[in-house]
Amino acid sequence: MPNPVEQPIVHTFVIMAHKNAPFIEETIQSLLKQTYPSNVVLSTSTPNERILGLAEKYQLEIFVNEPGQGIVADWTFALNCAKTPLVTLADQDDVYLPDFARKTVDMVEQNPDAIFCFTHFKEIGDDRKIRPMNLTMAVKIVLFWPYFIRPVYRSRFFKRLLFRFGEPVCNPSVTYNMAVIKDHKLFDADYSVSLDWDALLRLAELPGALCFVRQPMILHGIHTGTQTSFGITSGKRFEEDLKVLKRLWPNWLAQILARLYSISYISNH
């Protein structure tokens, strides 16, 4: 009896490793325990003994970008490290539940025109325990509401609606369908904190579907060392959020929405 034909790998996790990366080993282990076969690689612009040692320990291919170019260059480099049509940029602070890849790939296979797929999530703190419901999470769940009614939308109105009042998507839960995105620019150098909101909003303008996995498939790490937390304390987050909202609303209304949305930041760091 002939052996079954081995299916090609269609999905890659690219772990974006940075500096001392205190929780990255937990991230690596969660990706290697996925129930669906995916490639797992490391991308970094700050190679050090810890990152290189973990790559060797878990036999992961590592790609090193030129240092000092900024977050947009690092994210773009990481995306280009993958050779599969589906790519998830994995955050070094997060834990991916075992069925993350399976649920995501299944959703895209059911919707081949998916631009990207994202999942629901829960937050964990420095103690690695699930955080109780807070204002940030409550706001994001409210903004998710159309996707709890229907998990897939193709109309421009509903794709943009997801982003009109804030950025509810947990970026490390996003899987990009490069077969649909192709050469479309993702990350803009004008942004350093809200670059995911900007990128996903522009992707929502493309023909195709946005897909949502309703179950929490990722435990998203929140602590003071994250880029988001730095952006909040420096005021950069508000500045960039306002810039995005001005693309969606008149200036006066964008100002109001940006200030209202910023109230939810308080529980995010």
mmCIF file of all heavy atoms in Angstrom, residues 206-233:
data_model
loop_
_atom_site.group_PDB
_atom_site.id
_atom_site.type_symbol
_atom_site.label_atom_id
_atom_site.label_comp_id
_atom_site.label_asym_id
_atom_site.label_seq_id
_atom_site.Cartn_x
_atom_site.Cartn_y
_atom_site.Cartn_z
ATOM 1 N N LEU A 206 -8.482 46.029 1.013
ATOM 2 C CA LEU A 206 -8.271 45.111 -0.104
ATOM 3 C C LEU A 206 -9.500 44.235 -0.330
ATOM 4 O O LEU A 206 -10.247 43.945 0.613
ATOM 5 C CB LEU A 206 -7.059 44.212 0.176
ATOM 6 C CG LEU A 206 -5.695 44.883 0.342
ATOM 7 C CD1 LEU A 206 -4.636 43.827 0.645
ATOM 8 C CD2 LEU A 206 -5.321 45.663 -0.897
ATOM 9 N N PRO A 207 -9.725 43.770 -1.559
ATOM 10 C CA PRO A 207 -10.792 42.788 -1.790
ATOM 11 C C PRO A 207 -10.471 41.490 -1.053
ATOM 12 O O PRO A 207 -9.321 41.040 -1.038
ATOM 13 C CB PRO A 207 -10.746 42.576 -3.315
ATOM 14 C CG PRO A 207 -9.978 43.729 -3.858
ATOM 15 C CD PRO A 207 -9.012 44.147 -2.799
ATOM 16 N N GLY A 208 -11.473 40.914 -0.428
ATOM 17 C CA GLY A 208 -11.266 39.676 0.304
ATOM 18 C C GLY A 208 -11.930 39.713 1.664
ATOM 19 O O GLY A 208 -12.626 40.673 2.011
ATOM 20 N N ALA A 209 -11.699 38.673 2.453
ATOM 21 C CA ALA A 209 -12.401 38.494 3.718
ATOM 22 C C ALA A 209 -11.504 38.774 4.914
ATOM 23 O O ALA A 209 -10.282 38.603 4.849
ATOM 24 C CB ALA A 209 -12.935 37.061 3.809
ATOM 25 N N LEU A 210 -12.123 39.214 6.006
ATOM 26 C CA LEU A 210 -11.488 39.216 7.315
ATOM 27 C C LEU A 210 -12.150 38.103 8.121
ATOM 28 O O LEU A 210 -13.382 38.005 8.163
ATOM 29 C CB LEU A 210 -11.662 40.555 8.039
ATOM 30 C CG LEU A 210 -11.087 41.805 7.383
ATOM 31 C CD1 LEU A 210 -11.106 42.971 8.371
ATOM 32 C CD2 LEU A 210 -9.688 41.582 6.853
ATOM 33 N N CYS A 211 -11.334 37.283 8.767
ATOM 34 C CA CYS A 211 -11.853 36.096 9.463
ATOM 35 C C CYS A 211 -11.459 36.129 10.937
ATOM 36 O O CYS A 211 -10.329 36.496 11.275
ATOM 37 C CB CYS A 211 -11.296 34.824 8.823
ATOM 38 S SG CYS A 211 -11.692 34.646 7.073
ATOM 39 N N PHE A 212 -12.387 35.708 11.773
ATOM 40 C CA PHE A 212 -12.199 35.764 13.223
ATOM 41 C C PHE A 212 -12.463 34.401 13.846
ATOM 42 O O PHE A 212 -13.502 33.784 13.612
ATOM 43 C CB PHE A 212 -13.170 36.799 13.802
ATOM 44 C CG PHE A 212 -13.154 36.924 15.306
ATOM 45 C CD1 PHE A 212 -11.981 37.159 15.986
ATOM 46 C CD2 PHE A 212 -14.339 36.835 16.032
ATOM 47 C CE1 PHE A 212 -11.972 37.300 17.372
ATOM 48 C CE2 PHE A 212 -14.344 36.967 17.409
ATOM 49 C CZ PHE A 212 -13.157 37.198 18.084
ATOM 50 N N VAL A 213 -11.512 33.909 14.632
ATOM 51 C CA VAL A 213 -11.707 32.699 15.435
ATOM 52 C C VAL A 213 -12.216 33.147 16.795
ATOM 53 O O VAL A 213 -11.507 33.845 17.534
ATOM 54 C CB VAL A 213 -10.399 31.899 15.571
ATOM 55 C CG1 VAL A 213 -10.603 30.689 16.486
ATOM 56 C CG2 VAL A 213 -9.892 31.457 14.204
ATOM 57 N N ARG A 214 -13.433 32.767 17.130
ATOM 58 C CA ARG A 214 -14.103 33.329 18.308
ATOM 59 C C ARG A 214 -13.522 32.856 19.638
ATOM 60 O O ARG A 214 -13.617 33.552 20.637
ATOM 61 C CB ARG A 214 -15.593 32.966 18.262
ATOM 62 C CG ARG A 214 -16.355 33.658 17.136
ATOM 63 C CD ARG A 214 -17.716 33.040 16.961
ATOM 64 N NE ARG A 214 -18.543 33.778 16.005
ATOM 65 C CZ ARG A 214 -19.634 33.282 15.438
ATOM 66 N NH1 ARG A 214 -20.022 32.052 15.730
ATOM 67 N NH2 ARG A 214 -20.324 34.007 14.596
ATOM 68 N N GLN A 215 -12.923 31.677 19.660
ATOM 69 C CA GLN A 215 -12.358 31.179 20.913
ATOM 70 C C GLN A 215 -11.019 31.857 21.191
ATOM 71 O O GLN A 215 -10.237 32.096 20.271
ATOM 72 C CB GLN A 215 -12.136 29.661 20.848
ATOM 73 C CG GLN A 215 -13.374 28.865 20.556
ATOM 74 C CD GLN A 215 -13.508 28.523 19.073
ATOM 75 O OE1 GLN A 215 -13.126 29.293 18.199
ATOM 76 N NE2 GLN A 215 -14.039 27.349 18.803
ATOM 77 N N PRO A 216 -10.706 32.157 22.449
ATOM 78 C CA PRO A 216 -9.374 32.675 22.780
ATOM 79 C C PRO A 216 -8.309 31.625 22.439
ATOM 80 O O PRO A 216 -8.333 30.513 22.950
ATOM 81 C CB PRO A 216 -9.441 32.923 24.284
ATOM 82 C CG PRO A 216 -10.901 33.044 24.594
ATOM 83 C CD PRO A 216 -11.587 32.116 23.648
ATOM 84 N N MET A 217 -7.390 31.983 21.564
ATOM 85 C CA MET A 217 -6.364 31.059 21.102
ATOM 86 C C MET A 217 -4.955 31.502 21.484
ATOM 87 O O MET A 217 -3.979 30.868 21.115
ATOM 88 C CB MET A 217 -6.452 30.912 19.577
ATOM 89 C CG MET A 217 -7.636 30.099 19.089
ATOM 90 S SD MET A 217 -7.400 28.325 19.412
ATOM 91 C CE MET A 217 -8.604 28.030 20.686
ATOM 92 N N ILE A 218 -4.884 32.630 22.212
ATOM 93 C CA ILE A 218 -3.582 33.164 22.585
ATOM 94 C C ILE A 218 -3.696 33.840 23.945
ATOM 95 O O ILE A 218 -4.723 34.457 24.261
ATOM 96 C CB ILE A 218 -3.080 34.158 21.505
ATOM 97 C CG1 ILE A 218 -1.713 34.729 21.865
ATOM 98 C CG2 ILE A 218 -4.065 35.273 21.255
ATOM 99 C CD1 ILE A 218 -1.106 35.573 20.744
ATOM 100 N N LEU A 219 -2.657 33.682 24.755
ATOM 101 C CA LEU A 219 -2.548 34.389 26.026
ATOM 102 C C LEU A 219 -1.532 35.498 25.804
ATOM 103 O O LEU A 219 -0.332 35.251 25.636
ATOM 104 C CB LEU A 219 -2.091 33.445 27.142
ATOM 105 C CG LEU A 219 -2.945 32.187 27.345
ATOM 106 C CD1 LEU A 219 -2.377 31.323 28.472
ATOM 107 C CD2 LEU A 219 -4.405 32.546 27.620
ATOM 108 N N HIS A 220 -2.018 36.734 25.760
ATOM 109 C CA HIS A 220 -1.217 37.880 25.359
ATOM 110 C C HIS A 220 -0.551 38.519 26.567
ATOM 111 O O HIS A 220 -1.222 38.955 27.511
ATOM 112 C CB HIS A 220 -2.120 38.896 24.652
ATOM 113 C CG HIS A 220 -1.426 40.112 24.155
ATOM 114 N ND1 HIS A 220 -0.214 40.062 23.473
ATOM 115 C CD2 HIS A 220 -1.757 41.438 24.237
ATOM 116 C CE1 HIS A 220 0.146 41.287 23.154
ATOM 117 N NE2 HIS A 220 -0.758 42.138 23.608
ATOM 118 N N GLY A 221 0.775 38.572 26.555
ATOM 119 C CA GLY A 221 1.523 39.095 27.685
ATOM 120 C C GLY A 221 1.476 40.610 27.766
ATOM 121 O O GLY A 221 1.734 41.303 26.777
ATOM 122 N N ILE A 222 1.119 41.124 28.949
ATOM 123 C CA ILE A 222 1.088 42.560 29.200
ATOM 124 C C ILE A 222 2.039 42.860 30.345
ATOM 125 O O ILE A 222 1.889 42.330 31.440
ATOM 126 C CB ILE A 222 -0.331 43.031 29.596
ATOM 127 C CG1 ILE A 222 -1.330 42.745 28.472
ATOM 128 C CG2 ILE A 222 -0.322 44.517 29.939
ATOM 129 C CD1 ILE A 222 -1.107 43.534 27.204
ATOM 130 N N HIS A 223 3.046 43.696 30.076
ATOM 131 C CA HIS A 223 3.936 44.137 31.158
ATOM 132 C C HIS A 223 4.605 45.433 30.743
ATOM 133 O O HIS A 223 4.506 45.868 29.595
ATOM 134 C CB HIS A 223 4.969 43.054 31.518
ATOM 135 C CG HIS A 223 5.902 42.690 30.401
ATOM 136 N ND1 HIS A 223 7.127 43.271 30.248
ATOM 137 C CD2 HIS A 223 5.785 41.807 29.388
ATOM 138 C CE1 HIS A 223 7.734 42.757 29.204
ATOM 139 N NE2 HIS A 223 6.941 41.873 28.658
ATOM 140 N N THR A 224 5.295 46.063 31.666
ATOM 141 C CA THR A 224 5.821 47.415 31.444
ATOM 142 C C THR A 224 6.940 47.456 30.424
ATOM 143 O O THR A 224 7.300 48.527 29.949
ATOM 144 C CB THR A 224 6.325 48.010 32.760
ATOM 145 O OG1 THR A 224 7.276 47.106 33.350
ATOM 146 C CG2 THR A 224 5.182 48.222 33.729
ATOM 147 N N GLY A 225 7.479 46.294 30.055
ATOM 148 C CA GLY A 225 8.585 46.298 29.107
ATOM 149 C C GLY A 225 8.152 46.256 27.654
ATOM 150 O O GLY A 225 8.990 46.302 26.765
ATOM 151 N N THR A 226 6.866 46.178 27.387
ATOM 152 C CA THR A 226 6.418 46.059 26.007
ATOM 153 C C THR A 226 6.480 47.398 25.289
ATOM 154 O O THR A 226 6.437 48.461 25.897
ATOM 155 C CB THR A 226 4.973 45.528 25.933
ATOM 156 O OG1 THR A 226 4.103 46.460 26.559
ATOM 157 C CG2 THR A 226 4.853 44.175 26.606
ATOM 158 N N GLN A 227 6.549 47.323 23.946
ATOM 159 C CA GLN A 227 6.543 48.526 23.125
ATOM 160 C C GLN A 227 5.267 49.328 23.343
ATOM 161 O O GLN A 227 5.291 50.559 23.397
ATOM 162 C CB GLN A 227 6.662 48.122 21.644
ATOM 163 C CG GLN A 227 6.624 49.283 20.657
ATOM 164 C CD GLN A 227 7.935 50.042 20.590
ATOM 165 O OE1 GLN A 227 8.909 49.661 21.204
ATOM 166 N NE2 GLN A 227 7.941 51.137 19.845
ATOM 167 N N THR A 228 4.134 48.636 23.508
ATOM 168 C CA THR A 228 2.866 49.326 23.726
ATOM 169 C C THR A 228 2.885 50.121 25.018
ATOM 170 O O THR A 228 2.453 51.277 25.068
ATOM 171 C CB THR A 228 1.706 48.319 23.758
ATOM 172 O OG1 THR A 228 1.641 47.669 22.482
ATOM 173 C CG2 THR A 228 0.385 49.012 24.013
ATOM 174 N N SER A 229 3.399 49.509 26.081
ATOM 175 C CA SER A 229 3.444 50.213 27.362
ATOM 176 C C SER A 229 4.340 51.443 27.289
ATOM 177 O O SER A 229 4.027 52.493 27.844
ATOM 178 C CB SER A 229 3.941 49.267 28.462
ATOM 179 O OG SER A 229 2.987 48.261 28.716
ATOM 180 N N PHE A 230 5.464 51.311 26.564
ATOM 181 C CA PHE A 230 6.337 52.471 26.395
ATOM 182 C C PHE A 230 5.609 53.574 25.626
ATOM 183 O O PHE A 230 5.694 54.761 25.969
ATOM 184 C CB PHE A 230 7.610 52.078 25.644
ATOM 185 C CG PHE A 230 8.441 53.261 25.227
ATOM 186 C CD1 PHE A 230 9.229 53.938 26.157
ATOM 187 C CD2 PHE A 230 8.417 53.715 23.915
ATOM 188 C CE1 PHE A 230 9.980 55.043 25.773
ATOM 189 C CE2 PHE A 230 9.169 54.817 23.533
ATOM 190 C CZ PHE A 230 9.949 55.481 24.462
ATOM 191 N N GLY A 231 4.884 53.188 24.585
ATOM 192 C CA GLY A 231 4.160 54.175 23.791
ATOM 193 C C GLY A 231 3.091 54.897 24.583
ATOM 194 O O GLY A 231 2.822 56.078 24.361
ATOM 195 N N ILE A 232 2.475 54.197 25.519
ATOM 196 C CA ILE A 232 1.441 54.803 26.354
ATOM 197 C C ILE A 232 2.055 55.853 27.272
ATOM 198 O O ILE A 232 1.571 56.986 27.367
ATOM 199 C CB ILE A 232 0.717 53.719 27.178
ATOM 200 C CG1 ILE A 232 -0.128 52.831 26.252
ATOM 201 C CG2 ILE A 232 -0.170 54.354 28.242
ATOM 202 C CD1 ILE A 232 -0.667 51.586 26.926
ATOM 203 N N THR A 233 3.139 55.495 27.959
ATOM 204 C CA THR A 233 3.730 56.417 28.920
ATOM 205 C C THR A 233 4.383 57.610 28.237
ATOM 206 O O THR A 233 4.459 58.695 28.810
ATOM 207 C CB THR A 233 4.767 55.689 29.796
ATOM 208 O OG1 THR A 233 5.738 55.055 28.944
ATOM 209 C CG2 THR A 233 4.095 54.633 30.656
#
